[in-house]
RNA sequence: UGGGGUGUAGGCAAGUGGUAAGCCACCGGUCUUUGGAAUCGGCAUUCGGAGGUUCGAAUCCUCCCACCCCAGCCA
């Protein structure tokens, strides 16, 4: 089984063979600080960073902050935090496109002097009309043939603040009939009397992304500018700028962005969910943002595993969110300490266990990791078990607790159900059992296989907790491909968040800190929320355990 | 009816003229003090379609079809 390389690494191998960049490999991740990073960005970051690592090259972080109206320091901070958490390292190479504003301005004047750029007075609407359509060529701006002197003068006065927003633009003089619309005299500068998060009020003209991006990569000596598919037909424009300027020319390679099932990934839609209150902020654990995944308990290693395995190609894709969850479980299974928590408690009284007696039993912390050691858990006459683990009239193949059945209480004893107590409404309020004193620790060699094993907490020792259960945000796999007139908002999962407030957890959890991740045995992985305190424990369900019993039940249900 | 891309299993994705990897999902067995984990097995006679070249085609050629992106002074 040979390790295969993605098509980008193959291109880099080829460049190294031919000596195109003298064997250098230098990549970058260029986010715009106008929102939070999501799992799709993680794919891009890890791709570029991973390539730099594989080839002994360098990786830069550069903020593409050319639009002061949308960008904020808050986003710069969150992006830096998220990339650090993911594990990509830009060392001392943190840059901002705004660092290059002076250079870009100088280059713009150079293009004007070469007769390759001009100041245009067309309004936004007029410019749209002049641009033509997908099938018809555009027509030249009436301002296209201004003299170099006039252009220089006007451009300097734009910079000096003599004109209001939108009054003029600087445009590249390329070809209004180009079949590639990006080449129809694109805007290089627009007038924006806006405060920039880094340059303040120094500028009232701002370079467009297209005019900034390629040159920024050039300035930084990037060899391979890896970006997503939608920029493929901007590449000829970047080539044009770089050639006109006669500066160092990186190679741009495009790949398909990640789409994840049962969620949305566009910043616009994500922003909409936040602003409309559908979710409780960018780090609501239901969001596909990295900050949400961190809060929910996804380890960065799992995200790296996921990104390393989804592949890189140019084909549109929709990756099943089950794959991400698989890698989360895979990591957590090896690392998360096992504890017992009862989400929906049902009291169980062991009639033949001495009243007032407490035994502290040994419990292993992680069967996958012996070095995780053991802890002591309390056992007593009154305990709580999971309500789901008892059925008065069980279906076939149910081997949990029911009248007359014997089950194992994990790490403790075997118990047999002897009585069911109900309230006036017929609701089961408590169970009575007898325990087998010879089964201490959960094993009696005299008996055959005990199939059912239940988790529990000791009533006198358990501590209360709030537990938040999360499910998919959206009920359909691909909300971008739904019936006419429907959007992702028509497919929000009403059960995406369920808050349980009467949960009971084993006493050791009182000491846990926000961010700690556990396996609540038989229930799933849970992460102490950022707002969890000793007095008010709050856990987020990271992901459930695989549940074959649930599957059997659902199948039976479908048949019936 | 412009330009740029992409089509291999339910979802990703290898494959680069020599007879369809792997992962997830799904199905079944073993094992188990978590119905977890682990483990074993099953899962494309065929690569968007049709022709053609060749001893041999997912790979080369021709035509066709489908889907995605582009008409911001957003990135």
């Amino acid at each position: 089984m040979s390790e295969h390389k993605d098509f980008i690494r193959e291109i880099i191998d080829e460049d190294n063979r031919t000596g195109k960049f003298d064997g250098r490999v230098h990549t970058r991740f260029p986010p715009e600080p106008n929102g939070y990073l999501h799992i799709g960005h993680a794919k891009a970051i890890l791709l570029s960073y991973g390539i730099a690592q594989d080839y002994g090259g360098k990786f830069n972080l550069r903020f593409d902050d050319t639009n002061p109206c949308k960008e904020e320091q808050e986003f710069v901070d969150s992006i830096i935090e998220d990339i650090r958490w993911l594990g990509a390292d830009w060392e001392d190479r943190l840059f901002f496109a705004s660092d290059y504003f002076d250079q870009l301005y100088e280059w713009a004047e150079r293009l004007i002097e070469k007769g390759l750029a001009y100041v245009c007075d067309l309004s936004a609407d007029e410019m749209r009309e002049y641009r033509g359509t997908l099938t018809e060529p555009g027509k030249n701006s009436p301002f296209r043939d201004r003299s170099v002197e006039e252009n220089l003068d006007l451009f300097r006065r734009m910079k000096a603040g003599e004109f209001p927003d939108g009054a003029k633009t600087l445009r590249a003089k390329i070809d209004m009939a180009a079949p590639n619309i990006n080449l129809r005299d694109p805007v290089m500068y627009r007038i924006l009397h806006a405060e920039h998060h880094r340059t303040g009020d120094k500028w009232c003209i701002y370079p467009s992304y297209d005019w900034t991006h390629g040159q920024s990569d050039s300035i930084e000596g990037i060899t391979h500018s890896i970006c997503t598919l939608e920029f493929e037909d901007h590449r000829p424009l970047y080539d044009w700028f770089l050639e006109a300027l006669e500066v160092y020319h990186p190679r741009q390679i495009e790949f398909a962005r990640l789409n994840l099932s049962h969620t949305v990934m566009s910043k616009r839609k994500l922003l909409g969910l936040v602003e409309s209150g559908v979710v409780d902020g960018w780090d609501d654990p239901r969001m596909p943002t990295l900050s949400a995944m961190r809060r929910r308990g996804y380890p960065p290693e799992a995200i790296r595993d996921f990104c390393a395995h989804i592949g890189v190609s140019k084909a549109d894709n929709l990756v099943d969110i089950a794959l991400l969850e698989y890698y989360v479980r895979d990591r957590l299974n090896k690392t998360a300490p096992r504890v017992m928590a009862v989400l929906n408690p049902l009291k169980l009284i062991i009639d033949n266990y001495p009243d007032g007696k407490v035994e502290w039993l040994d419990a292993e912390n992680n069967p996958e990791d012996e070095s995780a050691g053991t802890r002591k858990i309390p056992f007593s006459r009154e305990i709580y078990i999971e309500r789901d683990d008892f059925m008065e009239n069980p279906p076939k193949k149910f081997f949990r607790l029911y009248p007359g059945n014997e089950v194992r209480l994990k790490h403790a004893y075997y118990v047999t159900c002897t009585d069911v107590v109900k309230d006036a409404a017929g609701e089961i309020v408590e169970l009575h059992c007898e325990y087998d004193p010879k089964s201490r620790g959960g094993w009696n060699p005299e008996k055959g296989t005990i199939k059912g094993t239940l988790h529990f907490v000791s009533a006198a020792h358990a501590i209360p907790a709030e537990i938040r259960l999360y499910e998919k945000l959206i009920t359909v796999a691909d909300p971008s491909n739904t019936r006419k007139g429907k959007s992702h908002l028509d497919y929000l999962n009403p059960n995406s968040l369920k808050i349980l407030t009467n949960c009971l957890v084993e006493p050791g959890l009182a000491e846990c800190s926000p961010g700690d991740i556990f396996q609540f045995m038989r229930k799933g992985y849970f992460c102490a929320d950022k707002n969890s305190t000793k007095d008010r424990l709050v856990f987020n369900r990271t992901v459930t355990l695989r549940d074959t019993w649930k599957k059997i039940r659902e199948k039976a249900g479908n048949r019936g």
Side-chain angles (χ1 to χ4, degrees):
Chain A
M1 205 178 72
S2 65
E3 205 52 32
H4 101 271
K5 283 185 174 172
D6 57 65
F7 79 98
I8 297 176
R9 276 173 240 251
E10 275 173 6
I11 289 171
I12 294 173
D13 283 348
E14 180 61 21
D15 286 345
N16 283 165
R17 257 194 301 280
T18 61
K20 182 168 183 179
F21 296 105
D22 304 317
R24 288 170 53 236
V25 173
H26 199 155
T27 59
R28 103 270 97 131
F29 177 63
E32 182 190 14
N34 70 341
Y36 281 64
L37 258 27
H38 55 60
I39 183 82
H41 294 114
K43 173 183 177 181
I45 293 163
L46 265 6
L47 212 210
S48 283
Y49 177 64
I51 283 172
Q53 281 208 305
D54 289 356
Y55 290 88
K58 292 176 178 169
F59 169 78
N60 293 3
L61 171 59
R62 180 184 69 244
F63 286 92
D64 264 338
D65 53 351
T66 56
N67 185 350
C69 308
K70 290 187 178 177
E71 295 149 8
E72 295 171 28
Q73 188 61 38
E74 177 200 351
F75 296 128
V76 171
D77 296 340
S78 77
I79 288 168
I80 285 176
E81 184 185 6
D82 288 346
I83 300 178
R84 282 225 175 90
W85 174 74
L86 247 196
D89 184 8
W90 56 90
E91 299 173 336
D92 59 349
R93 292 178 303 281
L94 168 62
F95 302 119
F96 292 82
S98 53
D99 295 340
Y100 313 137
F101 282 178
D102 287 307
Q103 174 67 264
L104 256 5
Y105 178 83
E106 191 184 304
W107 276 339
E109 287 206 352
R110 194 194 294 182
L111 287 201
I112 292 173
E113 282 161 3
K114 290 177 85 169
L116 295 175
Y118 63 97
V119 172
C120 181
D121 296 2
L122 252 26
S123 70
D125 285 343
E126 290 166 331
M127 201 180 289
R128 188 178 313 116
E129 282 167 31
Y130 277 76
R131 189 158 32 231
T133 69
L134 293 177
T135 52
E136 305 158 65
K139 54 188 188 215
N140 287 170
S141 163
F143 307 98
R144 200 172 199 261
D145 296 315
R146 292 216 252 229
S147 69
V148 169
E149 293 66 34
E150 187 183 5
N151 281 139
L152 230 32
D153 174 61
L154 255 17
F155 187 47
R156 286 170 183 166
R157 288 163 60 193
M158 279 168 63
K159 182 193 178 202
E162 288 189 26
F163 310 111
D165 287 2
K168 290 178 174 9
T169 56
L170 181 74
R171 295 226 260 165
K173 190 191 280 192
I174 307 181
D175 178 6
M176 289 306 292
N180 180 344
I181 290 180
N182 295 122
L183 264 17
R184 317 239 264 231
D185 290 10
V187 169
M188 294 166 62
Y189 276 92
R190 71 279 214 192
I191 300 172
L192 246 31
H193 292 268
E195 178 106 353
H196 186 278
H197 71 108
R198 296 192 81 239
T199 61
D201 59 4
K202 177 179 177 185
W203 298 88
C204 63
I205 57 171
Y206 288 94
S208 65
Y209 172 84
D210 278 341
W211 166 243
T212 307
H213 193 75
Q215 280 77 268
S216 298
D217 284 344
S218 175
I219 289 167
E220 292 177 17
I222 300 303
T223 56
H224 302 272
S225 304
I226 299 165
C227 66
T228 44
L229 251 26
E230 66 270 29
F231 295 107
E232 202 154 15
D233 42 45
H234 290 237
R235 186 164 20 111
L237 173 58
Y238 303 159
D239 291 344
W240 188 92
F241 282 138
L242 264 5
E243 277 158 29
L245 257 14
E246 299 172 71
V247 294
Y248 167 76
H249 197 151
R251 197 222 267 237
Q252 173 171 303
I253 304 167
E254 308 85 8
F255 70 96
R257 62 174 350 127
L258 167 67
N259 294 300
L260 236 205
S261 74
H262 304 281
T263 188
V264 290
M265 212 75 101
S266 89
K267 275 189 195 173
R268 205 195 95 246
K269 289 176 182 167
L270 259 13
L271 215 210
L273 294 175
V274 171
E275 291 187 335
S276 66
V278 167
V279 296
D280 193 25
W282 287 96
D283 69 345
D284 182 303
R286 291 168 289 181
M287 295 281 273
T289 56
L290 297 180
S291 54
M293 290 180 178
R294 177 168 59 240
R295 183 175 176 187
R296 185 161 170 171
Y298 284 22
E301 293 84 356
I303 293 174
R304 283 189 237 133
D305 289 343
F306 173 74
C307 290
H309 286 89
I310 50 177
V312 183
S313 74
K314 298 186 73 162
D316 287 339
N317 59 78
L318 181 67
V319 178
D320 193 336
I321 199 165
L323 185 62
L324 213 208
E325 294 181 338
Y326 167 83
Y327 286 111
V328 171
R329 289 190 187 101
D330 191 50
R331 281 286 173 174
L332 260 19
N333 176 48
K334 294 167 192 147
T335 57
R338 272 58 169 173
V339 295
M340 295 203 276
V342 175
L343 310 201
N344 192 194
L346 174 60
K347 183 174 268 191
L348 186 155
I349 298 164
I350 302 162
D351 295 318
N352 62 339
Y353 193 88
D355 204 3
K357 179 178 177 182
V358 176
E359 287 183 89
W360 288 83
L361 302 162
D362 289 316
E364 61 183 348
N365 289 326
N366 188 341
E368 304 295 317
D369 177 13
E370 209 178 313
S371 71
T374 61
R375 69 189 183 288
K376 295 285 189 185
I377 54 167
F379 185 78
S380 60
R381 179 181 158 92
E382 291 195 10
I383 65 172
Y384 286 97
I385 64 164
E386 206 71 63
R387 198 164 272 272
D388 289 354
D389 285 337
F390 176 81
M391 283 187 98
E392 199 169 10
N393 300 296
K396 266 207 169 99
K397 291 194 206 161
F398 183 86
F399 46 82
R400 299 177 185 181
L401 197 60
Y402 51 88
N405 190 229
E406 183 169 51
V407 298
R408 169 168 43 235
L409 294 172
K410 181 74 179 175
H411 303 310
Y413 289 98
Y414 296 172
V415 292
T416 303
C417 179
T418 53
D419 196 18
V420 181
V421 180
K422 298 179 186 175
D423 63 14
E427 188 80 5
I428 298 172
V429 292
E430 65 180 40
L431 262 23
H432 286 263
C433 286
E434 302 230 322
Y435 85 116
D436 171 5
K438 289 184 181 167
S439 63
R440 191 174 197 272
W443 181 247
N444 178 349
E446 295 168 18
K447 288 182 175 168
T449 312
I450 295 286
K451 248 191 156 183
T453 300
L454 273 45
H455 60 282
F456 70 95
V457 290
S458 167
H461 305 84
I463 52 180
E466 173 177 319
I467 294 178
R468 300 174 182 167
L469 305 180
Y470 299 98
E471 286 181 11
K472 301 174 170 69
L473 220 207
I474 289 171
T475 58
V476 293
D478 185 3
S480 71
N481 186 21
T482 53
R483 286 183 314 178
K484 256 213 170 105
K486 300 273 189 181
S487 80
H488 60 109
L489 297 174
D490 297 302
Y491 297 94
L492 293 173
N493 179 3
N495 303 315
S496 63
L497 169 61
K498 192 172 175 186
I499 299 178
L500 305 178
T501 53
N502 298 315
C503 311
L504 294 169
V505 302
E506 65 173 70
L509 253 26
E511 306 306 321
C512 77
S513 310
D516 286 353
I517 304 171
F518 304 91
Q519 184 194 105
F520 289 178
M521 294 206 78
R522 304 206 305 132
K523 284 287 150 187
Y525 296 96
F526 293 79
C527 178
D529 188 69
K530 64 175 185 180
N531 295 322
S532 181
T533 63
K534 190 169 178 169
D535 297 326
R536 182 167 173 271
L537 293 173
V538 178
F539 295 96
N540 295 314
R541 183 169 68 194
T542 308
V543 65
T544 61
L545 255 23
R546 275 183 53 205
D547 191 346
T548 51
W549 168 239
K550 184 181 169 194
K551 215 174 274 178
I552 292 167
R553 247 166 35 212
E554 284 170 355
K555 247 192 289 180
N558 288 342
R559 251 190 257 121

